[in-house]
Amino acid sequence: MDDIGLKDIGISPVAVAGPFPLFSGEAVKAMEKELLSTDVPNNCRYGSGPSFRVWGACPDYAKISDSIWKHRQTLETISLVAEVSLTIVMDIEICHTNVHQEENNAEGEPIIGWHKDGYPFVCIVMLSDTSSMVGGCLELKGGTGDIITIPKMEQGSAIILQGRHIKHRVSYCANRRVTAVTSFRPFSSFLQDDTRLTTAKAISPRSRLYYEFFIYRESVVIIRLEEATRILSEEPESLRRFLDELAGFLQQTKKELWDGDIILSQCSGATRPRMSNHGEDLMSALQSFLLVLVARVVVEVGQSRISSSEGLVFDKLRSRQFITGQLESLEEMKNCIQEWNK
């Protein structure tokens, strides 16, 4: 990152790495055949022309691709190259496939324009035979504005990129070009996680996107609050900073999920994939869940540590009515954490 003018940005010193061999020819052919087969329904395909994207096929409609990306050796290799332990963000972001057909070429125009990704890291794998490919290279724009061209990829090779912080595009390509992209976040729940849903919202089914995002954020909060218990007993001087970071994480979660009333309609009803047994209001579920966890942490402080003024906060958190949904929004949740922090 330092070399391209982006010092102290991101979760790893590695801005981009590759191309390097990742998958065998047999593996990439199996993935391409599966992802572009008629078994992948129309709701996983975006774009009506010869060039299109396949998004969200894993795991239900692309089981081979799903197993390849989730294989322990795949994840270990990607983390090793990225110099930080990574994990897949969500199932919906496994093997997002870009199909560019040569008849869609506009001479000299990039096939994908300048953009930043919504996730900390991406891994791009070339599924096409590139022996006769002209163009189609990944280009980066560093902090100084210089354009850096990454060497042409071979079939089965991969590029790791901190796409959340680096502008990038794909140059003009004179041939058919098929790539598979999987998005990653830090494996550690305590590293900076700048995940944003802006790009994904534009083309993903919101019901599934919001649900999987909630589940992943929920898992991070659980781990962070378990760590809070240890901090309370061993490093109480660090509690204020820890809770500030947690409050920021919750606030960003709310911001990504909440588009006015959209989430209420998108995350309810029978059309929600694999979610029919879940509550109708995802935000209420999030509020109730987080309140229970915060109450658990507060209880573990012990009555002996609570002064008369702090006891008011404790009683409110402990109240069954409050824990079971008497919140207007996550903003009140954040304020309650900050009040306890004081």
Side-chain angles (χ1 to χ4, degrees), residues 1-265:
M1 295 293 278
D2 290 0
D3 294 340
I4 64 171
L6 296 174
K7 186 177 181 180
D8 299 328
I9 295 176
I11 59 172
S12 166
V14 176
V16 60
F20 61 92
L22 183 62
F23 298 137
S24 67
E26 182 181 5
V28 296
K29 288 175 183 177
M31 281 195 286
E32 181 174 8
K33 180 180 179 180
E34 179 179 59
L35 291 160
L36 303 184
S37 71
T38 56
D39 293 336
V40 177
N42 289 334
N43 62 5
C44 292
R45 176 171 170 154
Y46 298 84
S48 56
S51 294
F52 59 92
R53 297 176 177 179
V54 174
W55 201 310
C58 294
D60 291 348
Y61 307 113
K63 297 187 184 301
I64 296 174
S65 303
D66 186 70
S67 63
I68 290 173
W69 280 100
K70 289 179 178 177
H71 193 279
R72 178 181 57 82
Q73 190 171 348
T74 300
L75 299 175
E76 287 178 354
T77 300
I78 290 171
S79 295
L80 181 65
V81 174
E83 295 186 17
V84 61
S85 185
L86 298 173
T87 189
I88 294 170
V89 175
M90 301 176 277
D91 281 351
I92 197 172
E93 293 294 349
I94 297 174
C95 219
H96 162 210
T97 306
N98 293 308
V99 180
H100 171 76
Q101 305 284 10
E102 55 188 320
E103 56 263 40
N104 269 43
N105 290 333
E107 185 67 36
E109 291 294 317
I111 60 174
I112 301 176
W114 290 114
H115 68 285
K116 292 181 180 179
D117 300 323
Y119 305 105
F121 264 94
V122 292
C123 179
I124 307 160
V125 171
M126 180 61 68
L127 302 185
S128 298
D129 180 355
T130 63
S131 56
S132 60
M133 184 177 290
V134 177
C137 292
L138 181 68
E139 296 180 334
L140 315 180
K141 186 178 287 186
T144 60
D146 295 336
I147 295 178
I148 304 162
T149 301
I150 306 302
K152 185 174 76 172
M153 302 174 70
E154 296 181 357
Q155 189 177 47
S157 67
I159 292 174
I160 304 293
L161 174 70
Q162 278 205 77
R164 180 73 190 94
H165 300 291
I166 302 171
K167 282 188 176 182
H168 53 284
R169 70 179 182 183
V170 179
S171 66
Y172 165 79
C173 184
N175 312 84
R176 184 175 184 270
R177 181 182 185 272
V178 183
T179 56
V181 182
T182 296
S183 299
F184 292 83
R185 62 179 175 89
F187 178 82
S188 170
S189 296
F190 303 100
L191 285 180
Q192 177 184 348
D193 185 347
D194 292 322
T195 292
R196 302 291 184 269
L197 298 181
T198 307
T199 303
K201 286 178 183 179
I203 60 175
S204 298
R206 299 250 180 130
S207 56
R208 180 181 172 190
L209 175 67
Y210 284 156
Y211 176 65
E212 291 189 5
F213 179 75
F214 168 70
I215 293 301
Y216 125 56
R217 303 292 273 200
E218 174 193 71
S219 68
V220 172
V221 171
I222 290 173
I223 293 172
R224 289 191 179 189
L225 282 172
E226 288 175 347
E227 175 66 6
T229 303
R230 184 193 66 79
I231 291 176
L232 286 167
S233 60
E234 298 179 15
E235 304 174 49
E237 68 282 358
S238 302
L239 183 60
R240 180 180 298 274
R241 178 181 58 82
F242 183 88
L243 291 181
D244 283 343
E245 291 174 356
L246 177 59
F249 186 84
L250 294 175
Q251 186 62 27
Q252 189 60 46
T253 299
K254 171 192 171 184
K255 183 177 180 180
E256 296 303 319
L257 284 171
W258 195 268
D259 290 335
D261 293 330
I262 290 177
I263 191 170
L264 299 181
S265 60

